[in-house]
Amino acid sequence: MSVDTTASAAGGPLAAETATGPGADTDTGTVVEDVVAVFGRVLECQDVTADSDFFLLGGDSLVATRVLSAVARRHGVELAFEDFLLAPTPRALAERIAAAR
């Protein structure tokens, strides 16, 4: 699996993570949608829902760090790996993001 890290803010794969800056989304629903998109991108899976378990979709600890990095860039929140283990779905992770703000 490869990742295009050269994408520009003009619409590449990483644009959604950086275009609006940290803390841009305050609506939990929007955060859930963003985390769903991050899961889908890093897992290369189109079947992600708000209640999809990252690890049951094939994610592992290494790929989880990519999710945590995306969360930090997009939402300005540094979550620990333990947070991810306790909240492995987009909905649960969005709640952790909201609580950490």
Side-chain angles (χ1 to χ4, degrees):
M1 166 171 59
S2 67
V3 176
D4 180 7
T5 58
T6 62
S8 72
L14 300 179
E17 295 172 18
T18 59
T20 57
D25 293 321
T26 56
D27 177 65
T28 303
T30 303
V31 176
V32 171
E33 292 172 10
D34 183 60
V35 177
V36 166
V38 171
F39 275 30
R41 187 171 50 255
V42 301
L43 294 171
E44 297 179 356
C45 176
Q46 302 302 314
D47 299 327
V48 179
T49 68
D51 297 312
S52 295
D53 185 295
F54 178 81
F55 298 104
L56 293 178
L57 289 173
D60 59 31
S61 60
L62 184 59
V63 179
T65 62
R66 293 176 53 205
V67 173
L68 293 172
S69 292
V71 165
R73 283 190 306 274
R74 176 77 172 122
H75 302 284
V77 172
E78 295 281 337
L79 297 177
F81 183 70
E82 182 177 335
D83 290 314
F84 196 92
L85 290 175
L86 296 172
T89 68
R91 186 181 321 277
L93 203 54
E95 291 171 5
R96 295 266 175 169
I97 292 167
R101 286 189 171 157

